[in-house]
Amino acid sequence: MKKPKLAIIGAGNISHFHVEAFKAVGFEITHSSAKKNSRRAKSFANNYKIKNFVNDPKELLKQYKDWDAILLAIDTDYNHIYLDDIIKINKPALIEKPVSTDLDFLARYESRKHKKIRVAYNRRFYGTIFEAKNFINSSEFINCRIELPESVKFDSEDKYKPVLLNSIHGIDLLFYLFGEIKLINVVIIPNDMGRLCLLENERGDKITLIMNWNSPSNFSINLDSNFKRLEIKPFEMCYLYQGMEIL
């Protein structure tokens, strides 16, 4: 069977993981580029023996007839340069998350569905999240607590950027697990050390989101229902507890 051909824009650390994953499921990496005139791009192409390399990603996009799918895995601040062209090409595309942190930019794409565009929220596909989905669906009501610690440098002009770029994985999981959710209340933790948020979905499940910045803790999700608890900590591991024994 002929292997599907993948084009990749990006040569950073995350690109290496993506390439290995695509190769493992049968793709051939045939075209590559990175940010225009990137120093790493050529060595990346040589490392993976990618035959078709160009310095300018716009030129790679013009070669769309020669590949079957595309991966955009650059610094997400630059996604906006290529997103419209990728949508017009209308081939399967995986975009590194988040597509953008600019809400005005994202609002341009709300009015229509882009069925061939996927964003790399890969944690949705962890086995632990599969267990969580089943736990929620088999329960009448869920009391959820999710903890998203993050390293925030308060002396930086972009101090909240790690929250937007990394904690978004956990927030995406909330939408995946609970469907549409609404914000009920927000408390600012003293000294701007985080946020405490109360959310609710259409079924009435209650979600407490704890954003405890600079805390020496790990990402976690706790789901409580009917004397049972499913604990996910970190996102790659989960434990099921049932009942309570007084010692």
Side-chain angles (χ1 to χ4, degrees), residues 13-27:
N13 291 334
I14 194 65
S15 298
H16 295 276
F17 292 100
H18 282 307
V19 164
E20 294 298 340
F22 272 101
K23 289 170 64 177
V25 295
F27 277 82

Side-chain angles (χ1 to χ4, degrees), residues 8 10-12 15-16 19 32 40-48 50:
I8 177 172
S15 298
H16 295 276
V19 164
S32 74
R40 294 183 295 187
K42 183 62 175 177
S43 60
F44 181 89
N46 291 337
N47 183 45
Y48 290 103
I50 301 172

Side-chain angles (χ1 to χ4, degrees), residues 170-207:
I171 294 171
D172 173 71
L173 288 178
L174 288 180
F175 281 97
Y176 178 67
L177 292 171
F178 290 98
E180 288 299 316
I181 53 178
K182 61 181 179 179
L183 182 64
I184 304 300
N185 193 26
V186 179
V187 176
I188 299 176
I189 299 174
N191 299 320
D192 200 25
M193 293 299 292
R195 301 290 186 270
L196 179 63
C197 308
L198 177 63
L199 306 107
E200 183 181 57
N201 69 351
E202 293 179 353
R203 191 175 75 167
D205 296 322
K206 299 299 186 290
I207 304 159

Side-chain angles (χ1 to χ4, degrees), residues 7-91:
I8 177 172
I9 299 175
N13 291 334
I14 194 65
S15 298
H16 295 276
F17 292 100
H18 282 307
V19 164
E20 294 298 340
F22 272 101
K23 289 170 64 177
V25 295
F27 277 82
E28 180 184 3
I29 317 302
T30 59
H31 295 70
S32 74
S33 186
K35 285 189 300 185
K36 192 172 182 179
N37 299 320
S38 165
R39 295 179 180 179
R40 294 183 295 187
K42 183 62 175 177
S43 60
F44 181 89
N46 291 337
N47 183 45
Y48 290 103
K49 298 180 174 58
I50 301 172
K51 296 178 181 178
N52 302 288
F53 166 77
V54 291
N55 278 309
D56 186 349
K58 291 282 188 176
E59 292 302 314
L60 181 146
L61 295 175
K62 291 177 182 178
Q63 300 171 5
Y64 67 91
K65 292 182 179 180
D66 299 325
W67 42 262
D68 303 302
I70 187 166
L71 165 66
L72 181 60
I74 57 175
D75 183 333
T76 55
D77 285 342
Y78 299 92
N79 279 349
H80 68 279
I81 299 174
Y82 309 109
L83 186 59
D84 285 339
D85 289 335
I86 289 173
I87 290 173
K88 289 177 184 177
I89 289 170
N90 197 34
K91 287 191 173 184

Side-chain angles (χ1 to χ4, degrees), residues 125-181:
F125 304 100
Y126 284 9
T128 53
I129 304 306
F130 175 81
E131 294 296 332
K133 192 79 167 176
N134 286 340
F135 186 86
I136 292 169
N137 289 340
S138 63
S139 303
E140 292 183 6
F141 173 81
I142 292 291
N143 180 23
C144 170
R145 188 179 81 250
I146 178 168
E147 190 172 334
L148 300 177
E150 199 62 70
S151 178
V152 174
K153 296 180 180 179
F154 293 106
D155 58 350
S156 170
E157 291 184 2
D158 295 326
K159 61 182 179 181
Y160 297 123
K161 193 168 184 178
V163 179
L164 298 173
L165 297 182
N166 198 33
S167 294
I168 191 65
H169 268 302
I171 294 171
D172 173 71
L173 288 178
L174 288 180
F175 281 97
Y176 178 67
L177 292 171
F178 290 98
E180 288 299 316
I181 53 178

